[in-house]
């Protein structure tokens, strides 16, 4: 995670697990979901609208592990916009996103704050922040680097970055090895070690054992949406 981004961290407990996690990230086999609040109303393009089925075909996690949206053909916005990476080379960068909630806020661009869900297929430097600011023309609340000349950006400079990594799904580093899969299959479904309260499950095709972690976004997200800052009205004497 970037320093100002909150959310989940993956930590390897053994050297083999670390090596496997590095491989999974390198091969883009870790599926991530972020939640963010946008300063304004992000631009949506009808020609860039895709369905959940199309997003799934792209290799993006759009509904697993009991997600309330699983099986629904939700509409997403596709951003396919190359970005310069840390090595100064321009590389493909793909993000899908959708708006979840809009609230009125007189201190925000367009008079609204927008809660969005973002799912990157690639993992370029500041990909989500740059895609929203440069392609959708509206930056994340609290983003000091990519707010540009957007109106009212100064109202949120001291709020911190409203970006949270709140879901991650990846193949289990051990249970997908030959030995590990034999151990998984040998465990009874009633064994609490097998599913770890829902964090470990089989993929839909039962070919992979997947780890899924999910957390609530920080309370300050909902607090900002429930009580957005407002421009103080000037009082005049009658």
């Amino acid at each position: 995670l970037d320093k100002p981004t909150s959310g989940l961290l993956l930590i390897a407990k053994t050297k083999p697990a670390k090596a496997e996690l590095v491989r999974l990230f390198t091969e883009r086999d870790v599926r991530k979901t972020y939640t963010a609040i946008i300063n304004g109303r992000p631009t949506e393009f009808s020609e860039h609208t895709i369905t959940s089925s199309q997003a799934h075909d792209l290799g993006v996690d759009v509904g697993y592990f009991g997600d309330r949206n699983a099986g629904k053909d939700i509409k997403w916005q596709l951003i396919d916009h190359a970005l310069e990476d840390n090595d100064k080379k321009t590389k493909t960068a793909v993000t899908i996103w959708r708006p979840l909630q809009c609230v009125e806020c007189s201190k925000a661009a367009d008079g609204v704050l927008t809660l969005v869900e973002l799912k990157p297929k690639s993992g370029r430097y500041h990909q989500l922040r740059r895609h929203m600011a440069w392609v959708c023309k509206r930056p994340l609340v609290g983003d000091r680097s990519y707010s540009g000349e957007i109106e009212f950006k100064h109202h949120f400079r001291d709020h911190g970055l409203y970006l949270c990594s709140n879901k991650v799904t990846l193949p289990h580093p051990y249970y997908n090895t030959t030995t590990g899969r034999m151990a998984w299959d040998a465990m009874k479904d009633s064994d609490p070690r097998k599913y770890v309260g829902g964090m470990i499950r089989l993929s839909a095709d039962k070919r992979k054992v997947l780890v899924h972690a999910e957390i609530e976004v920080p309370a300050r997200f909902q607090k900002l949406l429930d009580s957005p800052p407002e421009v103080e009205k000037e009082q005049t004497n009658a």
Side-chain angles (χ1 to χ4, degrees), residues 29-40:
D29 210 5
V30 178
R31 299 181 177 186
K32 299 165 283 185
T33 300
Y34 292 77
T35 300
I37 298 180
I38 306 300
N39 186 355

Side-chain angles (χ1 to χ4, degrees), residues 3 25 52 56 68-69 111 172 185 215-216 234 236:
K3 185 177 180 180
F25 273 100
S52 292
H56 177 73
R68 64 184 182 277
N69 295 317
H172 195 285
D185 291 338
I215 60 172
E216 297 290 336
E234 294 183 4
T236 58

Side-chain angles (χ1 to χ4, degrees), residues 103-107 113 156 223-231:
V103 298
E104 294 183 357
C105 176
S106 61
K107 285 191 175 182
L113 294 172
F156 300 100
K223 183 178 179 181
L224 179 61
L225 296 173
D226 290 341
S227 302
E230 299 295 340
V231 175

Side-chain angles (χ1 to χ4, degrees), residues 4-76:
T5 305
S6 58
L8 291 163
L9 292 173
L10 288 176
I11 300 175
K13 296 174 65 176
T14 65
K15 288 184 178 179
K18 178 183 177 182
E20 179 63 8
L21 287 176
V22 169
R23 184 190 69 80
L24 291 173
F25 273 100
T26 300
E27 296 181 2
R28 308 297 182 194
D29 210 5
V30 178
R31 299 181 177 186
K32 299 165 283 185
T33 300
Y34 292 77
T35 300
I37 298 180
I38 306 300
N39 186 355
R41 193 184 302 277
T43 302
E44 297 184 58
F45 303 92
S46 59
E47 64 270 25
H48 295 165
T49 300
I50 63 172
T51 64
S52 292
S53 298
Q54 291 171 316
H56 177 73
D57 291 341
L58 285 173
V60 180
D61 181 3
V62 287
Y64 296 102
F65 303 100
D67 189 323
R68 64 184 182 277
N69 295 317
K72 296 182 180 179
D73 216 5
I74 297 170
K75 302 299 183 184
W76 297 85

Side-chain angles (χ1 to χ4, degrees), residues 74-129:
I74 297 170
K75 302 299 183 184
W76 297 85
Q77 283 284 299
L78 171 66
I79 301 176
D80 188 350
H81 179 82
L83 296 170
E84 185 179 276
D85 212 356
N86 283 324
D87 58 6
K88 304 302 180 182
K89 295 181 180 179
T90 299
K91 300 177 182 177
T92 59
V94 175
T95 300
I96 68 166
W97 71 275
R98 65 188 180 106
L100 300 175
Q101 180 184 358
C102 289
V103 298
E104 294 183 357
C105 176
S106 61
K107 285 191 175 182
D110 311 312
V112 298
L113 294 172
T114 307
L115 182 72
V116 300
E117 184 176 33
L118 305 122
K119 296 176 181 283
K121 176 177 172 59
S122 47
R124 308 304 176 206
Y125 178 71
H126 290 176
Q127 175 175 317
L128 300 178
R129 295 163 64 181

